[in-house]
Amino acid sequence: GAVVSQHPSRVICKSGTSVKIECRSLDFQATTMFWYRQFPKKSLMLMATSNEGSKATYEQGVEKDKFLINHASLTLSTLTVTSAHPEDSSFYICSAASGRARLSYNEQFFGPGTRLTVL
Amino acid sequence: AQTVTQSQPEMSVQEAETVTLSCTYDTSESDYYLFWYKQPPSRQMILVIRQEAYKQQNATENRFSVNFQKAAKSFSLKISDSQLGDAAMYFCAYRSLYSGGGADGLTFGKGTHLIIQP
């Protein structure tokens, strides 16, 4: 199956700093990437969808100025948590899908996740 | 908006036995995909099985099978011959069939923690 990597796997930062998380599709071109957030022992919540070369589409309730998403190439998307605070501490997971065709099944391949801890 | 409900926070089964995980969903769409994902302690999401709503036949993948009841909006997962490696969080997920030029994100249920008793 296709491989998606995330970097870093774990990050600890001080309150007020910004943190960048990278999501890469290693062996396929990902026209669409997704960012999910997972609280401890909770479900995954879709934060935003990004298509290569376009602005990200954010889900309701997600602050776009807080969570900056860039999808500059077909293999890389980045999530930047700006001015991070303790309540931003969470597990962030990306997924990637290839293809743009309507009605086609574009399987999403998940990255291993990034644990963010804001002190 | 679609919702996915998993009413069993935790299930326990003896090794080699069969267990069924429940999932219901709510949608106004007629065509969509349903999934079961496994998340072991490593937190890596693993696709277990996929069902297209327009297919009447229940999907099967080795020891994993689903019971898809479209009218009832129910999508349960049956794991036969449970193995220790099946222990994980299991998430039911929904995705629209029609995407506007790209793929759509998944809507997840809250998950069921599956414990395998040796």
Side-chain angles (χ1 to χ4, degrees):
Chain A
V3 179
V4 176
S5 70
Q6 276 185 247
H7 178 79
S9 58
R10 186 184 295 254
V11 58
I12 300 173
C13 69
K14 293 182 179 179
S15 185
T17 61
S18 294
V19 175
K20 180 184 284 187
I21 302 170
E22 292 186 347
C23 176
R24 292 182 185 272
S25 57
L26 299 184
D27 50 5
F28 69 102
Q29 292 186 328
T31 51
T32 308
M33 286 185 169
F34 305 89
W35 287 95
Y36 296 86
R37 182 173 180 176
Q38 186 178 29
F39 290 102
K41 297 186 179 181
K42 296 287 186 182
S43 184
L44 282 75
M45 300 295 293
L46 179 65
M47 298 175 65
T49 301
S50 71
N51 290 300
E52 184 264 338
S54 304
K55 287 186 178 180
T57 302
Y58 290 81
E59 296 298 302
Q60 193 171 15
V62 177
E63 300 176 61
K64 57 183 66 177
D65 294 332
K66 173 72 158 177
F67 300 100
L68 301 180
I69 292 170
N70 183 279
H71 190 170
S73 78
L74 286 171
T75 59
L76 174 65
S77 176
T78 60
L79 167 67
T80 301
V81 183
T82 63
S83 186
H85 288 93
E87 57 265 31
D88 298 324
S89 298
S90 191
F91 194 68
Y92 293 89
I93 304 175
C94 74
S95 71
S98 64
R100 290 189 184 273
R102 288 184 84 239
L103 307 185
S104 70
Y105 173 64
N106 296 312
E107 182 173 349
Q108 292 186 28
F109 299 96
F110 285 84
T114 296
R115 181 179 299 283
L116 170 63
T117 303
V118 184
L119 303 177
Chain B
Q2 296 81 25
T3 59
V4 177
T5 302
Q6 291 179 252
S7 59
Q8 305 155 315
E10 186 173 282
M11 291 283 284
S12 181
V13 63
Q14 290 288 128
E15 195 176 0
E17 299 280 296
T18 295
V19 64
T20 298
L21 308 184
S22 302
C23 172
T24 58
Y25 58 94
D26 189 28
T27 183
S28 59
E29 299 175 335
S30 58
D31 292 311
Y32 44 86
Y33 295 109
L34 294 166
F35 307 85
W36 278 97
Y37 280 90
K38 171 184 177 181
Q39 188 181 43
S42 67
R43 307 293 290 270
Q44 176 71 56
M45 297 292 286
I46 301 166
L47 177 63
V48 175
I49 201 164
R50 178 185 88 238
Q51 174 80 44
E52 290 88 347
Y54 57 86
K55 290 185 178 179
Q56 292 186 334
Q57 188 172 6
N58 289 324
T60 299
E61 287 288 341
N62 301 313
R63 297 183 294 108
F64 299 87
S65 61
V66 298
N67 183 0
F68 173 50
Q69 301 290 327
K70 190 173 183 180
K73 295 180 181 174
S74 170
F75 183 61
S76 61
L77 174 70
K78 185 172 81 171
I79 305 174
S80 304
D81 185 24
S82 298
Q83 300 176 0
L84 294 177
D86 295 334
M89 282 292 292
Y90 285 82
F91 292 98
C92 179
Y94 174 103
R95 205 202 91 184
S96 296
L97 178 65
Y98 301 104
S99 54
D104 278 350
L106 298 166
T107 300
F108 287 91
K110 291 187 176 181
T112 296
H113 181 210
L114 179 63
I115 299 168
I116 310 295
Q117 304 280 4

